[in-house]
Amino acid sequence: MLKPTATATRELVSLDGLWRFAVGTAAGDQPWLGPFDGTLEAAVPASYNDLFVDPAIRDHVGWVWYQRTVRVPRGWAGERILVRVDAATHAGKVYADDRLVAEHSGGYTPFEADITDVVAAGDEFRLTIGVSNELTNTTIPPGTITVTPDGRRQQKYLHDFYNYSGLARSVWLYSVPPVRVSDIAVVTDVDGRTGVIDYTVTTTAPASVRVSLRDAAGDEVAAGPGERGSLRVPQVTLWQPGRAYLYELVVEIHDGDTVLDQYRMPVGVRTVEVRGTQFLINGQPFYFTGFGKHEDTAVRGKGHDNAYLVHDFQLMDWIGANSFRTSHYPYAEEVMDFADRHGIVVIDETAAVGLNLFIEGGIGRGDKRPTFSPETMNDETRNAHAQALRELIARDKNHPSVVMWCVSNEPSSIEEGAREYFAPLVALTRELDPTRPVTYASFMFATPGNDRIADLFDVLGLNRYHGWYMANGDLATAEADLEAELTAWAAAHGKPIIMSEYGADTMPGLHSVWDIPWTEEYQTAFLEMHHRVFDRIEAMVGEHVWNFADFRTSNGIHRVDGNKKGVFTRDRLPKAAAHMLRRRWRQIGSTK
Ligand code: GCB
């Protein structure tokens, strides 16, 4: 699905702002049939949970409703008119006046509705969007709804980050011509000094397609006719980590001299390859430094915010991070575009977090049921997971910043059924995108001896907490355990290894001369200990600290106002460890 954009043939209206807001009440309610009662308004984009000071809203389980009046620009007669919701977490329903025009499951990928037949250019209509935050054993991510003795529905889930919900990303009204470009796929390669861009254009009807590639100065450097082809760019400037360079692909549909549709897309030319225990970008060994992140800020929750986007990337630049993982769901497309433009490397993850009844964030759950069974994660869960992969790859396949797909975070890969569950999903990922390596982030009870899926992947991602959830406060034991474990993984698979999570909860301002967990000194010593070990293991190709910043979680006795493993606080102030990381990562650069 192409991101909506304004071109010579397409127009775009942002529907962000304040929307009327209502919490779903009785079953059978049909709030879209008219203006809402009540005075609540919610900001879009933002999660709704923390906007209001009302536990009945924050803890609501089920549908909430957003509504606004929209006027279709009067010049849009004869065009197709679409509403695009960048994300409705975790399910959405869109109504134009009284009519249901789109439904979608999956909280972090876009969907749209063609409302051409329901609205008219120049007229107003009532746009109502329902959003459900319910998670069950067949959603991605999964969860369980329980009922308290006093009759309240409660949402439980198998991941630690707070279940923020709502319209956390933009909503758009846009126009496209009746015959148009509906998708573009590019795959880039390098042949000596020549860049090769294979492209495939999909159109809504047979049409005469022409593509041209412009360099950053706007000069055409290659062009070709047809829906499919290969452009060659002599003396190509590559997209490099830390040195982004983007061409622009201009795709047009012509009828004689008339341009029926035009779409413009940035393209970065680069290659990605796993060879032995190396991860190569443009043929050069790449060492990932950076973080697992979250979309999380005060008040907005998971609401996309361009100020935080800019500031987070500034901080990553300041600290010398060259990459991040979109833990634990696809991020807003603005984030991916920004990474493309600024040369930050991305490991792109689905929302398949918590396929694990065994643990949550290092703490045993005490659930004795099997993770993979007809009553727990089952074929329907896997179908939802497959759909999440399809939508992620459809959305992000053209981003040069994306160098790898992460299929899942911390699944219970040691249990019976794990291989049957994952093998088809990894095969699907490779079929959808044969060009990028595939990884998963494995959990701490997985060992080379009991893990059932590691061999399916190209790169091993290890989430480990030696010195935190294990050997807490004893860094000497933790160092020996970590080294033994990494050595064993390296020997067992001969694949590149990324430490996809390692981190220690840290209260800013807490200090000690001893190895006392939660102090700033302990976080620094903990990370330094890991780095000593990483530097002794040949197969290591990266280190992603957990987490970039503190973030909101559900309540738990091991959470103090959320997860405090951030190297930055929730409002993005550096803890002491940030300065240590800055020294190390600025020295490492992108190759070690
Ligand atoms: C993990 C999870 C991550 C948690 C983290 C923790 O293993 O992947 O989502 O936040 O542990 O801090 O417990």
Side-chain angles (χ1 to χ4, degrees):
M1 178 192 287
L2 294 175
K3 185 171 185 258
T5 164
T7 70
T9 58
R10 296 167 173 241
E11 285 173 27
L12 184 63
V13 174
S14 166
L15 301 183
D16 293 353
L18 291 169
W19 290 51
R20 294 189 288 280
F21 183 81
V23 171
T25 48
D29 264 7
Q30 296 183 307
W32 57 90
L33 291 181
F36 298 165
D37 301 333
T39 57
L40 293 178
E41 296 186 50
V44 175
S47 305
Y48 62 80
N49 311 73
D50 290 351
L51 295 179
F52 307 100
V53 189
D54 184 350
I57 299 177
R58 188 168 195 267
D59 302 337
H60 172 72
V61 180
W63 291 91
V64 297
W65 298 92
Y66 291 76
Q67 189 178 69
R68 57 166 286 167
T69 306
V70 177
R71 182 175 292 281
V72 181
R74 61 185 173 165
W76 287 12
E79 306 295 307
R80 304 300 302 182
I81 300 165
L82 291 97
V83 172
R84 201 227 210 205
V85 181
D86 281 355
T89 318
H90 298 281
K93 286 184 191 178
V94 180
Y95 295 82
D97 291 326
D98 297 355
R99 284 259 290 272
L100 176 67
V101 290
E103 279 186 89
H104 183 257
S105 295
Y108 302 96
T109 39
F111 61 102
E112 56 188 23
D114 187 327
I115 56 169
T116 317
D117 299 336
V118 190
V119 299
D123 283 0
E124 278 190 345
F125 69 101
R126 193 173 60 250
L127 178 62
T128 308
I129 304 183
V131 184
S132 165
N133 62 356
E134 293 190 9
L135 298 174
T136 69
N137 66 318
T138 60
T139 59
I140 293 293
T144 321
I145 296 166
T146 55
V147 180
T148 59
D150 61 351
R152 281 171 297 124
R153 293 175 84 223
Q154 269 186 345
Q155 179 69 64
K156 305 279 184 204
Y157 34 95
L158 306 151
H159 52 78
D160 72 336
F161 57 95
Y162 186 78
N163 188 34
Y164 280 119
S165 314
L167 296 176
R169 298 181 188 161
S170 291
V171 181
W172 306 95
L173 183 73
Y174 74 104
S175 75
V176 287
V179 177
R180 64 184 179 279
V181 175
S182 53
D183 197 20
I184 303 169
V186 295
V187 172
T188 66
D189 202 355
V190 181
D191 176 10
R193 303 246 19 227
T194 300
V196 183
I197 297 154
D198 292 334
Y199 66 88
T200 310
V201 175
T202 314
T203 54
T204 53
S208 158
V209 173
R210 182 178 186 278
V211 305
S212 90
L213 192 76
R214 297 179 187 167
D215 64 15
D219 296 326
E220 185 173 286
V221 291
E227 289 164 26
R228 216 172 253 282
S230 195
L231 302 175
R232 295 181 68 84
V233 186
Q235 306 298 321
V236 69
T237 306
L238 295 177
W239 187 97
Q240 302 269 27
R243 266 185 296 135
Y245 185 93
L246 294 173
Y247 293 88
E248 185 181 48
L249 188 71
V250 182
V251 178
E252 289 182 345
I253 299 182
H254 289 258
D255 181 11
D257 287 342
T258 314
V259 177
L260 298 180
D261 189 22
Q262 183 194 66
Y263 192 88
R264 302 157 75 127
M265 190 179 85
V267 171
V269 180
R270 57 109 188 89
T271 63
V272 179
E273 187 191 340
V274 168
R275 197 186 298 156
T277 56
Q278 289 186 320
F279 194 98
L280 307 177
I281 299 182
N282 299 326
Q284 300 296 318
F286 180 73
Y287 189 86
F288 295 78
T289 59
F291 302 96
K293 281 187 99 257
H294 261 303
E295 292 186 312
D296 175 272
T297 57
V299 184
R300 295 170 188 76
K302 296 206 169 303
H304 174 71
D305 182 294
N306 281 327
Y308 274 97
L309 167 68
V310 171
H311 193 56
D312 283 5
F313 274 73
Q314 282 285 305
L315 290 175
M316 286 196 283
D317 184 51
W318 173 85
I319 207 168
N322 60 21
S323 56
F324 66 93
R325 176 168 63 118
T326 71
S327 41
H328 295 306
Y329 36 81
Y331 287 5
E333 279 173 275
E334 289 86 344
V335 180
M336 312 308 285
D337 291 340
F338 203 87
D340 287 347
R341 289 198 297 276
H342 295 274
I344 293 285
V345 170
V346 181
I347 299 175
D348 206 358
E349 184 162 293
T350 65
V353 51
L355 302 171
N356 196 326
L357 298 182
F358 214 74
I359 59 156
E360 180 246 291
I363 304 284
R365 205 186 287 291
D367 192 332
K368 296 280 181 291
R369 292 174 306 158
T371 295
F372 303 98
S373 79
E375 290 72 42
T376 53
M377 312 306 158
N378 55 27
D379 289 353
E380 226 186 299
T381 324
R382 194 177 56 197
N383 290 344
H385 195 159
Q387 185 58 19
L389 281 162
R390 279 188 208 100
E391 292 185 19
L392 172 70
I393 294 172
R395 195 195 73 164
D396 288 352
K397 61 183 179 293
N398 294 322
H399 289 286
S401 57
V402 174
V403 299
M404 183 150 60
W405 306 114
C406 183
V407 169
S408 177
N409 184 68
E410 299 200 347
S412 188
S413 56
I414 62 178
E415 282 185 65
E416 211 170 298
R419 195 172 182 85
E420 293 71 10
Y421 182 95
F422 275 101
L425 295 178
V426 178
L428 174 69
T429 310
R430 294 192 191 286
E431 182 193 317
L432 293 168
D433 180 6
T435 71
R436 287 180 179 86
V438 185
T439 191
Y440 75 120
S442 99
F443 82 130
M444 66 188 200
F445 293 122
T447 66
N450 66 12
D451 186 277
R452 296 166 187 248
I453 63 173
D455 62 297
L456 299 172
F457 296 87
D458 303 301
V459 174
L460 300 177
L462 301 182
N463 294 358
R464 292 296 180 278
Y465 288 90
H466 294 286
W468 190 256
Y469 291 121
M470 293 174 301
N472 186 277
D474 177 0
L475 291 178
T477 301
E479 182 161 353
D481 292 350
L482 175 66
E483 182 151 13
E485 177 165 17
L486 292 181
T487 306
W489 279 106
H493 290 284
K495 294 185 178 186
I497 301 176
I498 294 180
M499 201 73 182
S500 38
E501 284 183 23
Y502 62 113
D505 284 276
T506 305
M507 282 305 277
L510 207 60
H511 294 287
S512 176
V513 293
W514 314 116
D515 274 350
I516 303 283
W518 293 92
T519 62
E520 295 199 38
E521 286 79 4
Y522 188 76
Q523 186 182 36
T524 304
F526 171 103
L527 298 175
E528 281 175 331
M529 174 279 278
H530 280 76
H531 300 153
R532 281 197 297 278
V533 176
F534 299 163
D535 292 347
R536 297 196 286 261
I537 307 281
E538 182 80 28
M540 293 303 292
V541 297
E543 49 196 60
H544 276 175
V545 174
W546 190 255
N547 186 285
F548 171 74
D550 295 344
F551 59 91
R552 178 66 63 221
T553 61
S554 55
N555 296 334
I557 50 164
H558 59 313
R559 302 296 182 218
V560 184
D561 189 33
N563 189 311
K564 286 281 187 282
K565 294 191 185 70
V567 166
F568 297 94
T569 61
R570 201 181 192 207
D571 53 358
R572 278 47 177 179
L573 302 176
K575 300 180 190 172
H579 300 282
M580 179 278 292
L581 287 170
R582 184 167 193 254
R583 281 190 296 276
R584 174 175 169 83
W585 289 348
R586 293 199 147 234
Q587 198 225 322
I588 290 178
S590 283
T591 40
K592 212 163 111 193

